[in-house]
Amino acid sequence: MNFKMQGLENVRLRLRNACVDAGREPGSVALLAVAKRHPAEAIRAVHAMEQHSFGENEVREALAKQAELTDLDIVWHFIGRVQSNKTRDIAGHFDWVQSIDRVKILRRLSSQRPSAKQSLNICLQVNIDSEPQKAGLHPDEVGEMARQANQLPGIKLRGLMCIPRATTDTEEARDSFRRTRALYDALRQQGYTLDTLSMGMSGDLELAVSEGSTMVRIGTDIFGPRKLGIERN
Ligand SMILES: *Cc1c(COP(=O)(O)O)cnc(C)c1O
């Protein structure tokens, strides 16, 4: 078994154990395989093990790989910073965008989503620890952005995504996940039909699952360290 296959098996096992430990149904947390800076062949190998959802964070890199993988049924998630001049490519070539933090981008994706395709699934990215350099909405802005997202055609608001502050303090990380979960629950209480709380990466998937994540985004622990060779835009 090569590294990627072993990596995927290990991650699946961790995810299953995390669900059991949290008293949650195994299989209740979706796995997104984050393939950024790994080549198309790596995606093909992981897809062969019945992993169908893949995440990318650079448009040009993603489109090049997609062109090599048109024979596969893949659900593509965009998880990187969205530049205005890339929204048409994203609206045309992705199924999800998890990194929405500007209404301008939301409007462009809405109007540029091809009418032949199903609605583009959207998560609002929350800068849950209000870090100055980090993308994402301030927690106070989430309600208004959700309201706007729900009014636009061509897109479907599915939930929230967060990347907590990098820390070795488990309780601090737990608190960030908890506050994101609280925002998510509050929106649902207001009547939004959401089903996606995207939180947890290679280093903290167990913690995220214990705090209610419904989707973890795993790169390194599936694919190994990221290659630098792929050109970035
Ligand atoms: C790269 C990335 C991940 C995956 O991170 P790993 O630590 O490699 O698992 C998850 N989410 C986002 C938004 C990313 O950019």
Side-chain angles (χ1 to χ4, degrees):
M1 206 153 42
N2 68 28
F3 181 89
K4 288 176 278 299
M5 298 165 93
Q6 189 66 60
L8 181 61
E9 279 305 322
N10 289 343
V11 166
R12 282 177 171 163
L13 189 61
R14 280 173 65 192
L15 197 50
R16 205 156 37 235
N17 288 339
C19 286
V20 170
D21 289 349
R24 302 178 58 187
E25 194 65 41
S28 62
V29 182
L31 173 59
L32 179 69
V34 177
K36 64 189 186 199
R37 290 159 69 200
H38 290 281
E41 308 88 78
I43 295 177
R44 189 175 289 281
V46 168
H47 179 274
M49 296 179 70
E50 305 202 0
Q51 171 65 33
H52 293 277
S53 294
F54 290 86
E56 293 284 351
N57 75 341
E58 297 269 341
V59 176
R60 198 149 53 124
E61 178 190 327
L63 295 195
K65 287 186 237 176
Q66 288 178 354
E68 290 185 56
L69 300 169
T70 51
D71 56 315
L72 304 185
D73 56 327
I74 290 180
V75 179
W76 292 101
H77 291 236
F78 192 77
I79 58 171
R81 200 164 183 72
V82 183
Q83 296 167 272
S84 300
N85 63 351
K86 297 286 168 59
T87 51
R88 189 172 296 280
D89 280 337
I90 293 174
H93 292 93
F94 283 84
D95 304 291
W96 287 68
V97 183
Q98 296 201 13
S99 39
I100 295 294
D101 62 0
R102 284 188 290 162
V103 72
K104 176 187 172 191
I105 297 295
L106 210 48
R107 292 212 183 93
R108 289 176 70 94
L109 291 171
S110 166
S111 68
Q112 293 169 344
R113 181 66 170 174
S115 53
K117 290 186 183 266
Q118 290 182 338
S119 293
L120 184 62
N121 298 292
I122 295 291
C123 290
L124 304 181
Q125 182 173 351
V126 188
N127 182 358
I128 193 63
D129 296 308
S130 304
E131 295 170 271
Q133 77 288 3
K134 197 171 256 175
L137 296 161
H138 187 277
D140 293 347
E141 300 170 329
V142 169
E144 173 58 16
M145 189 71 95
R147 195 183 63 77
Q148 305 228 30
N150 243 20
Q151 293 172 350
L152 292 169
I155 62 174
K156 169 91 186 84
L157 181 63
R158 298 290 295 268
L160 303 180
M161 183 270 264
C162 78
I163 309 171
R165 187 202 312 276
T167 176
T168 51
D169 182 336
T170 305
E171 288 315 304
E172 202 179 300
R174 183 186 299 285
D175 187 60
S176 300
F177 288 141
R178 254 186 209 162
R179 283 180 282 113
T180 311
R181 164 78 183 269
L183 285 173
Y184 176 74
D185 287 344
L187 289 174
R188 300 220 308 174
Q189 269 156 26
Q190 289 164 41
Y192 290 93
T193 49
L194 307 180
D195 59 8
T196 305
L197 182 54
S198 174
M199 52 188 204
M201 314 200 326
S202 292
D204 56 13
L205 85 82
E206 286 84 1
L207 196 57
V209 168
S210 76
E211 295 303 331
S213 169
T214 71
M215 185 185 291
V216 292
R217 310 178 309 271
I218 310 296
T220 309
D221 284 0
I222 294 175
F223 292 100
R226 284 183 268 280
K227 312 262 192 311
L228 299 168
I230 293 179
E231 193 189 346
R232 313 197 64 182
N233 54 1

